[in-house]
Amino acid sequence: MQPILFVSQGGGPLPILNHPSHSDMLRAFAEIRDYLHAHFAKPDAIVYVSAHWEREPVAITSAATPELFYDYYNFPPESYSLKYPVPGAPKLAADLQQRLEAVGIEAVLDDSRGLDHGVFIPGLLLHPDADIPTLQISLQKGLSAERHLKIGEALQGLAAENILIIGSGYSFHNMQTFFGPDNANDNAKNQAFEDWILTTLAEPDNAARQHQLINWEEAPHARFCHPREEHLLPLHACVGAAGDTPLQRSWSFTALNKRGSCHLWK
């Protein structure tokens, strides 16, 4: 039985480059890696839902040997030579396509797109041996909160098949604020939204929890923390996949002067 994991990963390749602004994030990811290794068997495959890919219809990587897609800009040259030679999972991709379409979500297979940094950056931090078959599912254009909960629901049952689901986004994603001057007012807004996430994920009633996530824009400072919600929606997919499974652990860290969080269900 595998868990379901949401990770906040940001700053492009900066965590892998050991940038000092990401040292606390690296601490959190090391704790997550140790927790996974201590409490769970090695997964047979990993399914990522990445904030860095939007398609209509939803797409699933299906290459047997996926390449990497360096979907970031103006970083040091070494960030474009990172390697993460995981095998793909074409049979699993076809199965996921059927699962999605069974709940009314059209899906296509894509055997040409590489794995983006929403996959290979957390992958290098959590599973650096790169020996676990890995694929990724796109977000659906339109960025409907309700639809991404539904995408997650289509993945229910994978954990029992020893498949790890990872939603890869960020609990806070205001790029202007990340790289702007640090100030107490912005930090308070950031923390209020982080508190809302924790309260929402701890809600014991699944229907109430999903209602709050569908209406996430009503959360404190929601649009300040997410001017665009693509980095939040992998969390929705994880909640949908978790169903009635309770939240087990959360990790918090500071990167680029802002709080972020990761969450695990089991």
Side-chain angles (χ1 to χ4, degrees):
M1 188 78 176
Q2 288 294 317
I4 295 162
L5 176 65
F6 171 80
V7 295
S8 289
Q9 56 78 27
L14 292 180
I16 297 299
L17 300 179
N18 291 311
H19 193 276
S21 67
H22 284 63
S23 60
D24 197 37
M25 176 186 283
L26 290 176
R27 184 269 310 161
F29 269 78
E31 291 180 6
I32 295 168
R33 182 180 65 245
D34 291 346
Y35 187 83
L36 291 175
H37 291 173
H39 292 86
F40 302 98
K42 182 178 179 179
D44 292 329
I46 304 176
V47 172
Y48 279 86
V49 179
S50 169
H52 300 281
W53 189 20
E54 299 172 31
R55 284 279 298 271
E56 180 60 54
V58 171
I60 307 164
T61 59
S62 59
T65 54
E67 298 181 352
L68 299 188
F69 175 32
Y70 303 102
D71 58 327
Y72 40 68
Y73 308 94
N74 300 319
F75 286 97
E78 58 267 30
S79 63
Y80 300 94
S81 59
L82 293 171
K83 304 298 181 186
Y84 193 58
V86 288
K91 289 184 179 179
L92 176 59
D95 175 62
L96 295 183
Q97 181 187 30
Q98 293 179 356
R99 291 177 188 240
L100 287 163
E101 294 188 339
V103 298
I105 297 172
E106 185 181 358
V108 297
L109 302 179
D110 189 328
D111 63 1
S112 61
R113 188 184 191 274
L115 303 174
D116 62 46
H117 81 276
V119 175
F120 67 81
I121 296 300
L124 284 165
L125 294 173
L126 298 176
H127 301 98
D129 291 341
D131 59 349
I132 302 171
T134 299
L135 58 76
Q136 76 177 93
I137 302 174
S138 76
L139 300 182
Q140 186 179 46
K141 281 188 176 180
L143 303 182
S144 161
E146 190 168 8
R147 292 291 281 177
H148 286 84
L149 285 165
K150 194 76 171 177
I151 288 170
E153 289 172 2
L155 307 181
Q156 288 182 9
L158 291 180
E161 299 173 23
N162 203 40
I163 296 171
L164 173 61
I165 298 169
I166 299 180
S168 178
Y170 213 121
S171 59
F172 176 90
H173 199 256
N174 183 322
M175 295 298 291
Q176 183 176 354
T177 305
F178 271 140
F179 295 101
D182 190 29
N183 66 79
N185 185 48
D186 288 353
N187 292 342
K189 293 177 181 178
N190 170 204
Q191 188 61 57
F193 190 77
E194 288 291 318
D195 292 343
W196 174 85
I197 288 177
L198 280 172
T199 300
T200 298
L201 297 184
E203 164 60 53
D205 181 74
N206 187 33
R209 184 167 58 248
Q210 293 209 11
H211 176 78
Q212 292 177 52
L213 286 168
I214 289 169
N215 296 285
W216 71 272
E217 289 179 272
E218 298 175 6
H221 313 294
R223 278 298 177 189
F224 170 77
C225 295
H226 290 277
R228 194 172 185 273
E229 57 264 44
E230 81 286 345
H231 273 72
L232 182 64
L233 292 177
L235 177 65
H236 289 63
C238 287
V239 170
D244 291 325
T245 302
L247 182 70
Q248 181 74 17
R249 283 284 304 269
S250 295
W251 294 263
S252 293
F253 61 84
T254 299
L256 296 169
N257 295 317
K258 293 295 172 283
R259 299 297 291 171
S261 55
C262 304
H263 308 279
L264 179 144
W265 297 258
K266 65 179 285 289

